[in-house]
Amino acid sequence: MSTQTSGVINFKKVDDIINSCGAKKSNLIAILQKVQDEFRYLPQDAITYIGTKIDELSPATVYGVATFYAQFSLEPKGKYEVKCCDGTACHVRGSMPVYTYLTQRFNLQEGKYTSDDGLFSVETVSCLGACGLAPVVVINGKVYPQMTTDAIKIIIDTIIAEENEG
């Protein structure tokens, strides 16, 4: 099901989300989470729209909340969100070569986090809470422990092969 066509936001879907959560200020976080789940990010038009649909809120307030919490993204994310831990344990055990491999594989430069095909977003995080498994990569919530560049290549190749089959 497509929620966005030619860059135009499906406001009916945003309305459905607002109605399912309840159009109240106290439900803003839940609304933003569901909108992000739907679109894989928080489109600016959706943020503005939410700010006009909920009493006691303005688009500026919604934007402020969306930019305050690290869980929200104002940029489109890939179907597969890859998080490379670069906390102390992961860093000393070699997380940066894994991250470097991913950024080179997907031709990601500074400020660009999503592959051109929209399949993968890659980011570093300061800790994933799995120091004993370092270095750790998490893809869409699944933890991959003791990661190496060879291992991440196999994982990415497998994901791409599965995408091409479907």
Side-chain angles (χ1 to χ4, degrees), residues 7-39:
V8 177
I9 300 301
N10 181 340
F11 291 107
K12 167 87 171 80
K13 188 64 188 171
V14 177
D15 274 333
D16 291 346
I17 291 169
I18 292 169
N19 293 333
S20 74
C21 292
K24 297 190 303 188
K25 181 179 178 180
S26 60
N27 295 335
L28 179 59
I29 300 286
I31 291 166
L32 292 175
Q33 287 170 330
K34 287 186 177 190
V35 169
Q36 180 164 285
D37 287 346
E38 184 66 33
F39 296 100

Side-chain angles (χ1 to χ4, degrees), residues 12-78:
K12 167 87 171 80
K13 188 64 188 171
V14 177
D15 274 333
D16 291 346
I17 291 169
I18 292 169
N19 293 333
S20 74
C21 292
K24 297 190 303 188
K25 181 179 178 180
S26 60
N27 295 335
L28 179 59
I29 300 286
I31 291 166
L32 292 175
Q33 287 170 330
K34 287 186 177 190
V35 169
Q36 180 164 285
D37 287 346
E38 184 66 33
F39 296 100
R40 287 199 214 126
Y41 77 114
L42 293 175
Q44 183 63 48
D45 290 346
I47 289 171
T48 302
Y49 187 73
I50 292 164
T52 64
K53 296 295 282 186
I54 300 175
D55 291 338
E56 301 178 28
L57 288 181
S58 68
T61 300
V62 177
Y63 180 81
V65 170
T67 56
F68 179 79
Y69 292 101
Q71 68 178 307
F72 296 123
S73 174
L74 303 182
E75 297 295 322
K77 292 211 175 189

